[in-house]
Amino acid sequence: NAPLMQYLDFSANYMRGTLPDSLGLMTNLVTLKGDFNNFEGVLPLEFIKLTALRELDFRENSLRGTVSGEFCSSLRELKIFALDCIDEIECPCCTYCSPASPPAPVPMPTSPSATSSPSFSIVPTSAYQWDERQPPLQGDYRGAFFGSTVSIATLRDRVAVGATAQAGIDVEPYVRVYDWDGNSWLKLGQTLNFADGEQLSSVELSDAGDILSVVTHTINLDFSRSRNVRIFTYVGEEVWTEMGLAIIVTENLDKEYNVSGVGNDATLSYGVTYGTVVSVRTDTRVSTFYYYEDGTWRSLGSDIFVRARLLS
C-alpha cells in the first residue's frame, strides 16, 4: 500500500544514511517530512516524480549539494519546501531555509513596561539583535486581553493571536490570524468569535500555518470544567473552516489540562498515516489522540496504547 500513502513523517527519529530513491515511487505523497535526523548525501532526483507533494521538510540534517531547476519546476503543488539551504544546500525554490549552525545568543535589553492598551508585537530574531515588526497588532477593546495566547507557524511568517476575555467581563473571546507581507501585518481570514460564556485557553498553529487549534473552557453547574477543542483549516479565499464538531473533554477543577501536538498531516513520527492528528491531555499524565476522518474526530486512544497500536 506504500504507493497509496499520502502522508509520511519520520522526523526526529535518529535516522542516518542516504535518502532512498524508492521514496520517489510513492507518487501520492502530499507531505514528506524527515527533519531533525542525520541523513547525508543529496536530495534524490527521483523526488521529481512526487508531483502531488505540497510539503517537503528535511531541515536539520547533513544533506549537501544543489537542488536542480528541474526539481523546482516539476513539483508545482509544493507550498512548503524546507532545507538547510543557507550554508549546506543551494536551493532556488525553497520556502524556508534553516541554518545548519544557529547564531549564538546575545544579551538583550530589558523589555519596556507593559501598557494598558490591548496590543501584541512580533519580534523576530536575527544574528545580532531583536527587531520589532511595526506596527504592533492591536485588539478591539480593553478587557479582551488581546495577545494573552499566541502561536507562530514554524515555516512561514504567520501568527495566531487570541483575546481570552476573562470571566466577569462582558466581552466575547476571539482569535485572529495575521500574515507578514514584508512591511506590515495583514489579517488572514475572518475573526473567529466564541460564545460569551466561554473563556479562551490557548491557540496553536500547525507548522505550515494552515491548521489552527482553539481551546476554550466553560464552567458547568456541577463545578466541573469542560474543554472545547476546535480545529480550523484555512481553505483560501480568506476563510477559516471548522473541521467537524468540537472535541469536548470534561475535567475536575483541581487538574490542569492543555492541548498540544496539532500538526498539519502529522503522523506522530511513527511512519503510519492518520492525516491531521491532535493530542488532548485528558489526565495529568495521559493524552488522548484524535484523527480526522469523514468529517469526524475519531479517538486513537491514550498515548500508551496509541504508541503500541501505531508501532504494531
Side-chain angles (χ1 to χ4, degrees), residues 128-296:
Y128 305 104
Q129 64 181 10
W130 291 89
D131 299 315
E132 183 175 4
R133 289 182 172 176
Q134 294 281 2
L137 300 172
Q138 298 287 335
D140 290 340
Y141 33 71
R142 295 184 181 181
F145 298 97
F146 182 74
S148 13
T149 177
V150 176
S151 178
I152 302 175
T154 303
L155 299 179
R156 62 176 61 181
D157 288 337
R158 179 170 296 175
V159 59
V161 184
T164 54
Q166 298 299 317
I169 300 176
D170 189 21
V171 172
E172 295 180 354
Y174 62 89
V175 175
R176 289 176 181 157
V177 180
Y178 299 87
D179 272 345
W180 178 255
D181 69 351
N183 297 301
S184 61
W185 291 102
L186 302 177
K187 183 167 166 286
L188 181 72
Q190 77 276 26
T191 298
L192 302 174
N193 295 293
F194 302 93
D196 191 14
E198 296 183 78
Q199 291 178 245
L200 183 63
S201 301
S202 65
V203 297
E204 184 174 348
L205 280 170
S206 64
D207 287 350
D210 57 352
I211 294 181
L212 170 70
S213 75
V214 179
V215 186
T216 64
H217 67 268
T218 54
I219 305 300
N220 303 317
L221 293 177
D222 61 355
F223 298 104
S224 64
R225 182 166 52 183
S226 293
R227 295 278 190 185
N228 307 295
V229 184
R230 296 181 175 91
I231 313 297
F232 298 86
T233 182
Y234 185 68
V235 296
E237 302 296 329
E238 296 296 308
V239 175
W240 289 92
T241 297
E242 186 169 359
M243 300 172 65
L245 299 176
I247 302 170
I248 300 177
V249 178
T250 301
E251 59 192 78
N252 296 323
L253 288 172
D254 60 348
K255 292 183 179 179
E256 290 295 330
Y257 296 80
N258 61 11
V259 167
S260 62
V262 174
N264 183 17
D265 307 326
T267 61
L268 306 180
S269 299
Y270 293 116
V272 178
T273 298
Y274 280 100
T276 299
V277 173
V278 57
S279 65
V280 182
R281 189 166 297 282
T282 51
D283 201 332
T284 53
R285 297 183 179 179
V286 177
S287 294
T288 299
F289 293 84
Y290 298 85
Y291 69 102
Y292 190 66
E293 182 181 67
D294 299 329
T296 302

Side-chain angles (χ1 to χ4, degrees), residues 267-268 270-274 300 305-312:
T267 61
L268 306 180
Y270 293 116
V272 178
T273 298
Y274 280 100
L300 282 168
F305 300 104
V306 170
R307 292 173 190 272
R309 177 176 173 183
L310 294 181
L311 289 169
S312 62

Side-chain angles (χ1 to χ4, degrees), residues 82-131:
L83 292 173
D84 300 326
C85 49
I86 291 180
D87 300 317
E88 309 299 331
I89 299 175
E90 293 183 25
C91 181
C93 54
C94 281
T95 61
Y96 180 90
C97 290
S98 173
S101 299
V106 296
M108 302 305 301
T110 304
S111 300
S113 300
T115 64
S116 59
S117 60
S119 65
F120 174 76
S121 298
I122 297 296
V123 187
T125 185
S126 68
Y128 305 104
Q129 64 181 10
W130 291 89
D131 299 315

